[in-house]
Amino acid sequence: MPANDHQSTPRRQRFSPPGIIDPRLRAGRRRILRHCSLRGVAAGIAIGLPLAALIWLTDDDPWRAGFTSIGVGLLLSCGFAIQQRRRAVPLWPRIWDRTIRSQALIETIIDRQHRPAGDPWLDALRARSGHIPLPDPVSLLRQLPFPDPRPCLILTATAILIGGLLGPTDPTIGGAVEPNSATPPVAQTSSEAVSADQVRARQQRARGREDAALALAGRKALEPLARQIRGLARAAAAPDSLLPRDLQAVQAALQRLSAADPMIPQVELWNEPADLNRQSRVVEGDSLAGNGEALPLAAEPGTGAVTRTPDLADGGSDRPTDPSSTVLNSQQSPPSIGSIRIEGSPTDGPSDLLLDTRAVTPLGEESTASWDRVRDDPRLAPRWTRVIDLYQQWIRGKERPGGG
Amino acid sequence: MVDDAVQRFCQQDLQLREALGTVIFGQPEAIDAATCALLAGGHLLLVGVPGTGKTRLAESVADSTGLTRGRIQFTPDLLPADILGGETLLPGSSGDRIEFRPGPVFTQLLIADEINRGTPRTQSALLEAMQEYSVTISTNRHRLDPLFSVIATRNPIELEGTYPLPEAQRDRFLLEVPLHSPAPDVLTKIAAATTIESQLTATKVLDPKQIETMRQTVLRVIAADSVIERAARWIAATRPEDPSAPELIRRGVRLGAGARALQALVLTGKVEALRCGRTHLADEDWRRWRHEVIRHRLVYSLEGELDGLGPQEIVSAVDRAVAHQG
């Protein structure tokens, strides 16, 4: 075999067709095979696009759906490209002939290229190979057109329609939550047939989650939970304490979640610590727990305040305080008051102030701020302002260790 | 040089066809086929009802090419020796001697008129001559002229006193060309041209040497193996026992085309390639005369005969089957 350019490197030699000597013929062959490969890619896309759309729309996990869709598309494209290329390998001389409208000229040249020189007819035929026009892309496209995109687009539209009807309403649901909670394993999901019951259950679950998230809307403390339910964030740790209204919202959310929703245990976590806090905060009886005596409150702030045991007033002294005698530990929980009796003033008789214990918040900034907000309300009667002052004073006294 | 040879071939071929066209009216296909068979070095069977110009065409070919001609009018009492010749005892002064007296087959162009009127025994006398280009008499083998060709005519309608050609005999004809009854306007031309004082004769435009050169040119046409392979696949599909044969062939054909049919396709295809100015064979070339190649080679089954199968249906079915195979 005479030396030619395809022998310049071992790599190129390996991939060059061994039978073709003429570089022009090799160039034409490459062009035809490339076109056929592209045609295969187009066919793969035409088939893969509707499939990918269907997969994308019916899979819960967007990452997995994307990966599968792209994978299917790539696989089909590569497969069809290889198939088309393989089929074109024995046919490329005829394709070239068709392209340049020659009658088996390339085919004959290829067939006779290894015959020894000397026959004038053969030599004349070979000499023509140097003037053969290469197959141009337009002619190739005319002879071997790419697949019609219209069926592909129609199928894709149909797939989108079907996927929109059957698939999850929100493909992101469950996508970002912990793998052991809401989203079943990949293998499990992929093996699941998209039956009508499953689809319906999935839709109900998604709807329930959306409703639950709506129930939590507007509550700042519950925003992490709402995001978690929507699948926009990973599982967040439940706070130590929640406002009663927040608790109500959590319970409402729990009720709205569908029965078999794997999200329920996570929402329950938000409900449990709140329950504990509520038990410790909510006033069970009409008076402070202790020795059963009602706590007398003076009308004047500070004057009527008493400590339940004298020991509490000894905070800071050398004598250790007996903790057993202290019923309420200010460090652990604030005192709960269901009602406070206000001794009557000359103008209006004694009355009971009923405190909405649901509004009582744990100790801290928020608690103080809430009471301040209530106290500064211009609609509040002055005596209730005094009551709040008394209560806050009393609370502050309790906060001091060992003191009242 | 090659281009000159091709150009010369085209020119001479055109001259020959034009010369025949001046005496044969309304049969351009038959003229093309007859010249194709002549230039391909094959034998030609002209089939047609009386008055279609079969014999005239054969005579005109001889006239226009300058080939030496021999003519045999086939009759039922014709014997093989009447065709091939024989050894005769010649008395002489120095003693009697046996001498071979050649028959009409020893010529360049043999016109076998109404060949189906000869008995199969007589018809078979041509088998060796047509295939081997030689005649064996007694123990002596006599070579025929290298340009030897047979143009036979056959009447397909007349049955009394006729004998069908044996399959082996038919297979030796390169092409079977049907001549159709002329249309009224052609009939007018024929009547006008043949009812006058001067005889209508084809002009001699070639000589035997040129015919020989043209035949050699035909043989030099390059045929790619892949093209021949496709022709072979086409021929194979006409055989009922072949897996690629379509249902119509399996049902309606008892004996398909053989190797000689493939040779005929390639040779006539080469002539067509040269007529198109090409030096290599293409699919369109060998497909040009495929009807005429297989027409006389197929033996139909009883079912095929009852269904009235003909070359047209067979060719269409085989074309579809081969195209389906890719």
Side-chain angles (χ1 to χ4, degrees), chain A residues 342 345 348-351 380-388:
Chain A
I342 299 173
S345 63
D348 49 4
S351 61
L380 196 68
R383 63 191 186 110
W384 296 122
T385 308
R386 284 207 316 274
V387 168
I388 291 169

Side-chain angles (χ1 to χ4, degrees), chain B residues 16-272:
Chain B
L16 178 61
R17 284 188 283 169
E18 282 176 352
L20 292 173
T22 57
V23 290
I24 306 295
F25 301 109
Q27 305 280 3
E29 279 283 300
I31 292 173
D32 287 353
T35 52
C36 180
L38 178 75
L39 297 175
H43 312 292
L44 180 68
L45 180 61
L46 299 172
V47 179
V49 294
T52 49
K54 302 183 295 292
T55 309
R56 186 167 198 85
L57 176 59
E59 297 277 1
S60 300
V61 169
D63 291 339
S64 56
T65 55
L67 295 170
T68 58
R69 91 182 70 172
R71 175 167 174 165
I72 306 168
Q73 184 66 48
F74 276 73
T75 54
D77 60 347
L78 192 73
L79 295 174
D82 299 330
I83 299 170
L84 305 175
E87 293 176 334
T88 54
L89 186 66
L90 292 177
S93 55
S94 57
D96 295 346
R97 59 187 175 90
I98 295 174
E99 189 180 281
F100 175 69
R101 298 193 69 171
V105 76
F106 287 88
T107 185
Q108 289 176 325
L109 185 65
L110 178 68
I111 300 169
D113 203 16
E114 297 196 81
I115 192 172
N116 57 334
R117 288 191 181 279
T119 59
R121 177 186 172 206
T122 313
Q123 291 173 5
S124 302
L126 282 172
L127 287 176
E128 185 189 0
M130 291 173 75
Q131 181 62 35
E132 310 290 337
Y133 290 82
S134 65
V135 170
T136 305
I137 307 288
S138 186
T139 56
N140 300 318
R141 193 178 190 197
H142 306 276
R143 302 293 304 181
L144 296 177
D145 192 282
L147 293 178
F148 173 73
S149 286
V150 177
I151 298 181
T153 67
R154 182 168 68 88
N155 183 352
I157 302 298
E158 210 166 0
L159 296 175
E160 196 173 345
T162 62
Y163 302 91
L165 267 68
E167 284 81 12
Q169 176 80 7
R170 290 205 304 258
D171 199 28
R172 279 164 169 75
F173 286 102
L174 192 78
L175 303 176
E176 180 186 292
V177 180
L179 280 89
H180 306 289
S181 297
D185 57 329
V186 178
L187 285 173
T188 310
K189 271 189 188 177
I190 292 170
T194 54
T195 53
I196 54 174
E197 194 177 358
S198 61
Q199 285 290 320
L200 197 64
T201 316
T203 315
K204 183 188 171 191
V205 290
L206 297 174
D207 57 44
K209 182 70 182 166
Q210 287 173 317
I211 294 291
E212 190 178 2
T213 309
M214 289 174 82
R215 285 186 178 180
Q216 286 170 357
T217 306
V218 169
L219 294 176
R220 303 201 73 170
V221 170
I222 301 164
D225 290 346
S226 52
V227 178
I228 296 176
E229 188 189 327
R230 286 196 288 278
R233 278 213 305 268
W234 194 91
I235 288 293
T238 64
R239 299 175 185 162
E241 70 275 12
D242 194 87
S244 64
E247 181 58 29
L248 186 76
I249 300 288
R250 292 171 198 265
R251 191 168 46 83
V253 175
R254 190 157 56 86
L255 184 67
R260 286 197 185 97
L262 178 60
Q263 290 171 346
L265 282 184
V266 174
L267 281 171
T268 54
K270 286 185 173 186
V271 174
E272 283 302 314

Side-chain angles (χ1 to χ4, degrees), chain A residues 131-376:
Chain A
H131 310 289
I132 298 168
L134 287 171
D136 62 301
V138 178
S139 306
L140 279 172
L141 210 58
R142 196 165 46 239
Q143 292 296 328
L144 301 169
F146 282 1
D148 189 357
R150 279 174 296 184
C152 162
L153 292 176
I154 290 168
L155 281 174
T156 307
T158 311
I160 289 171
L161 196 68
I162 292 170
L165 290 174
L166 299 181
T169 51
D170 185 1
T172 59
I173 287 175
V177 296
E178 288 178 356
N180 59 352
S181 61
T183 307
V186 175
Q188 183 185 341
T189 303
S190 59
S191 63
E192 280 176 1
V194 189
S195 65
D197 289 339
Q198 285 174 327
V199 168
R200 206 174 299 120
R202 203 177 290 169
Q203 284 177 333
Q204 282 177 354
R205 188 192 308 163
R207 204 175 299 122
R209 287 184 184 184
E210 188 58 33
D211 291 345
L214 284 174
L216 302 175
R219 308 213 62 84
K220 193 175 178 181
L222 300 178
E223 270 183 14
L225 181 59
R227 288 175 63 79
Q228 182 186 345
I229 289 173
R230 281 200 170 102
L232 300 173
R234 291 192 174 279
D240 292 334
S241 58
L242 283 176
L243 291 171
R245 285 173 186 168
D246 293 339
L247 273 171
Q248 284 181 339
V250 170
Q251 286 161 2
L254 271 171
Q255 287 171 357
R256 292 180 184 188
L257 285 172
S258 61
D261 198 327
M263 185 64 75
I264 288 176
Q266 302 211 5
V267 182
E268 288 281 3
L269 288 175
W270 287 67
N271 198 26
E272 284 164 8
D275 283 341
L276 290 173
N277 286 342
R278 185 174 57 180
Q279 284 169 6
S280 61
R281 276 199 307 270
V282 172
V283 176
E284 296 289 335
D286 290 338
S287 60
L288 292 172
N291 51 11
E293 294 176 7
L295 181 67
L297 294 176
E300 292 298 322
T303 55
V306 293
T307 56
R308 294 181 68 246
T309 60
D311 296 338
L312 292 174
D314 294 334
S317 68
D318 294 332
R319 194 160 57 107
T321 304
D322 183 9
S324 62
S325 60
T326 305
V327 176
L328 294 175
N329 186 349
S330 63
Q331 293 295 331
Q332 292 176 353
S333 61
S336 297
I337 299 172
S339 64
I340 297 172
R341 183 175 180 81
I342 299 173
E343 291 176 2
S345 63
T347 53
D348 49 4
S351 61
D352 287 336
L353 170 62
L354 292 176
L355 293 178
D356 186 3
T357 55
R358 291 174 298 180
V360 177
T361 56
L363 289 174
E365 292 295 324
E366 191 177 356
S367 170
T368 310
S370 302
W371 280 111
D372 287 342
R373 200 162 53 242
V374 174
R375 182 184 175 279
D376 295 335

